[in-house]
Amino acid sequence: MTVTESSATTDEQRVEALVDDLLEKFPPKSTDPVTFLGEQFDRGLAWVHFPEGLGGLGVNPKLQKNINERVFAAGGPNAGYRNPIGYGMCGPTVAVWGSDEQKQRYLRPLFTGEEIWCQLFSEPGSGSDFAGLSSRGVRDGDEWIVNGQKVWTTLAHLSRWGLLVVRTDPEAVKHAGLTAFVVDMQAPTVEVRPLRQITGEAEFNEVYFTDTRIPDSERLGAVGDGWRVSLTTLMNERVSIGGSIPQRGSGTIAPLVKAFKELPPERREAELDEVMKLWIRAEVLRLTNIRANQMRKMGDPGPEGSIGKMASADLNKDVWAKVVNVMGAEGMLYGSYEMKRPDVASGFETNQKAFLRSRANSIEGGTTEVMKNILGERVLGLPGDVRVDREVPWSQVPRN
Ligand SMILES: Cc1cc2nc3c(=O)[nH]c(=O)nc-3n(C[C@H](O)[C@H](O)[C@H](O)COP(=O)(O)OP(=O)(O)OC[C@H]3O[C@@H](n4cnc5c(N)ncnc54)[C@H](O)[C@@H]3O)c2cc1C
């Protein structure tokens, strides 16, 4: 007997029935991606743990994995590919901190990719120490006037909306004086300039705000809640970057296994030891992420997000270095460094490009050194990093 949504007795059956319905009525291969993703959202299969009516069904987030596996296996589109910052970080932040109007307005077009999002946190003087940022927001009636510069803003050149954090109270200690907003990236007072990377492309940008006006209704959370809002984004960022659970032998390690299998037998023997070491590291990371996923389901995000982020960065870098190494002289051929403005972030079209792009993995989303600090302090109980600016109003902290 086929289980339909109305005859389903468990959340799992209900989700399965909704996926059946989606795939039957909107075959991915003959449906345009925006329509398909819109239908996926309307059935509550976008972020399955979000409330009903907002792209979810209010059920256990582990069921999202079942949905994604079935949709991707059927050739369906991946919302996180074209709008990675939106889907992985901004959507979950709006869902927690947004007003009802903001959730209704933003989540659906974010999921369908009709509206790309970017994350405007880092500044030239504040990356790891993001809470020390200097961009200012000053209240003016029902609006805020924002001035300042952000940097390394992935996909800002394609973005319709940005998740922005600015300082609204310089007299408070640094973590307490921040406020978060949704900002219109197409406003004339927002200037986006490309920043070129080692790959030759500019997938990220500098963003300048000059007297940019943001309505107070676009605030996320209360005035002064910007740090807590950012923590939601950053927790999701770490999981989104380092928390994937591929099938054994797939994911990061797959291109190395492929390159290894293509080698002549005598070279395979020479490389076997090193390839196996990397394969084992990939498997250990996969198992760690499975455990982290289970901890999250029990409501304890724990430090595993930082472990996964740190381990996946090192593993990615080592795997891609090995891939180009195994390719021999061909691994040094890159084609063109012509400046491009890509319409996806971190597109790994060739092994050589993936090798170059993977160098940034231990910087983006929080550096490996900072992840080590988190683990040292929160897991190993080691003495904390020296923090001299914690109890001092931000305006009195020396900075250059
Ligand atoms: C590809 C890419 C995409 C990015 N996309 C975005 C984006 O979309 N939005 C956004 O807001 N940001 C983005 N970033 C910025 C990223 O979050 C920052 O680069 C990162 O947090 C580090 O900050 P920083 O570059 O200012 O380096 P800094 O914080 O100046 O660090 C410099 C060095 O000092 C070390 N260090 C700093 N503090 C400590 C400490 N307390 N203990 C030990 N070592 C320390 C760091 O590990 C690093 O090696 C992106 C970065 C990259 C590379």
Side-chain angles (χ1 to χ4, degrees):
M1 187 188 78
T2 313
V3 178
T4 61
E5 201 208 341
S6 51
S7 68
T9 52
T10 64
D11 289 344
E12 200 159 352
Q13 283 178 351
R14 185 172 169 219
V15 165
E16 286 300 309
L18 285 163
V19 177
D20 287 343
D21 181 65
L22 173 67
L23 294 176
E24 192 192 311
K25 293 197 179 124
F26 298 91
K29 289 187 180 141
S30 54
T31 307
D32 77 275
V34 170
T35 305
F36 184 92
L37 290 168
E39 293 292 335
Q40 183 175 345
F41 182 94
D42 294 341
R43 282 168 176 72
L45 304 173
W47 297 267
V48 80
H49 56 296
F50 283 16
E52 294 204 23
L54 294 174
L57 297 167
V59 299
N60 195 317
K62 80 172 181 193
L63 295 174
Q64 191 66 45
K65 187 165 176 282
N66 306 1
I67 299 167
N68 292 352
E69 278 171 7
R70 288 196 58 200
V71 166
F72 301 156
N78 180 345
Y81 180 68
R82 188 156 142 67
N83 197 2
I85 313 287
Y87 180 67
M89 283 95 89
C90 301
T93 308
V94 170
V96 173
W97 294 96
S99 62
D100 289 345
E101 292 74 29
Q102 285 171 317
K103 291 177 200 171
Q104 290 293 346
R105 164 65 186 85
Y106 292 128
L107 291 174
R108 194 177 191 277
L110 181 159
F111 184 74
T112 61
E114 287 163 284
E115 293 182 345
I116 306 295
W117 281 64
C118 63
Q119 173 196 2
L120 298 144
F121 285 18
S122 303
E123 295 184 3
S126 319
S128 302
D129 179 28
F130 149 67
L133 61 82
S134 311
S135 288
R136 284 295 316 275
V138 176
R139 190 151 191 166
D140 181 30
D142 285 343
E143 292 182 323
W144 293 81
I145 302 173
V146 169
N147 281 285
Q149 183 196 347
K150 297 287 174 175
V151 74
W152 320 124
T153 319
T154 302
L155 297 185
H157 55 292
L158 300 175
S159 290
R160 178 70 188 83
W161 304 106
L163 173 53
L164 171 72
V165 181
V166 294
R167 185 159 306 282
T168 48
D169 183 0
E171 300 315 319
V173 294
K174 66 177 181 178
H175 291 89
L178 304 174
T179 303
F181 296 92
V182 176
V183 63
D184 178 355
M185 291 298 292
Q186 289 166 12
T189 52
V190 178
E191 187 190 350
V192 177
R193 295 186 197 165
L195 275 177
R196 213 167 164 200
Q197 292 155 271
I198 191 175
T199 55
E201 295 187 340
E203 74 180 38
F204 55 27
N205 305 271
E206 300 177 292
V207 180
Y208 294 83
F209 296 94
T210 309
D211 290 335
T212 302
R213 287 187 170 264
I214 304 178
D216 187 52
S217 56
E218 291 302 354
R219 182 165 33 81
L220 289 172
V223 175
D225 257 348
W227 176 248
R228 295 201 305 138
V229 176
S230 328
L231 287 182
T232 305
T233 315
L234 296 174
M235 294 288 257
N236 280 287
E237 181 172 37
R238 274 161 212 167
V239 174
S240 161
I241 291 179
S244 72
I245 306 175
Q247 297 291 318
R248 175 184 276 204
S250 71
T252 305
I253 198 69
L256 179 57
V257 172
K258 181 168 179 289
F260 174 76
K261 284 186 176 159
E262 285 164 5
L263 288 175
E266 64 285 2
R267 278 208 56 208
R268 238 182 275 163
E269 215 153 287
E271 300 284 3
L272 182 63
D273 236 26
E274 291 296 309
V275 171
M276 273 315 296
K277 280 184 198 158
L278 289 165
W279 196 93
I280 290 166
R281 276 172 59 191
E283 183 59 8
V284 169
L285 174 62
R286 199 178 73 85
L287 296 173
T288 305
N289 279 342
I290 291 175
R291 191 179 57 192
N293 207 21
Q294 280 161 359
M295 297 289 283
R296 273 195 294 278
K297 270 181 254 152
M298 292 189 302
D300 173 13
E304 278 89 351
S306 300
I307 296 177
K309 199 293 164 179
M310 183 179 86
S312 79
D314 289 346
L315 179 69
N316 271 354
K317 286 167 71 172
D318 292 350
V319 165
W320 285 114
K322 191 70 194 163
V323 170
V324 287
N325 203 326
V326 161
M327 288 170 74
E330 198 197 335
M332 293 186 282
L333 298 177
Y334 185 56
S336 162
Y337 280 96
E338 191 194 338
M339 157 80 165
K340 273 194 275 170
R341 298 288 265 155
D343 55 11
V344 291
S346 50
F348 283 15
E349 299 93 76
T350 64
N351 290 343
Q352 295 91 330
K353 183 176 171 199
F355 162 69
L356 292 175
R357 179 59 182 77
S358 68
R359 303 294 95 191
N361 291 165
S362 49
I363 305 172
E364 60 196 312
T367 69
T368 290
E369 291 77 14
V370 168
M371 296 302 129
K372 284 182 180 167
N373 282 350
I374 294 173
L375 296 179
E377 291 175 31
R378 302 216 191 127
V379 182
L380 303 176
L382 297 174
D385 209 3
V386 179
R387 294 182 181 99
V388 290
D389 55 1
R390 231 183 180 163
E391 312 300 329
V392 187
W394 178 85
S395 61
Q396 290 171 31
V397 176
R399 64 183 64 82
N400 53 28

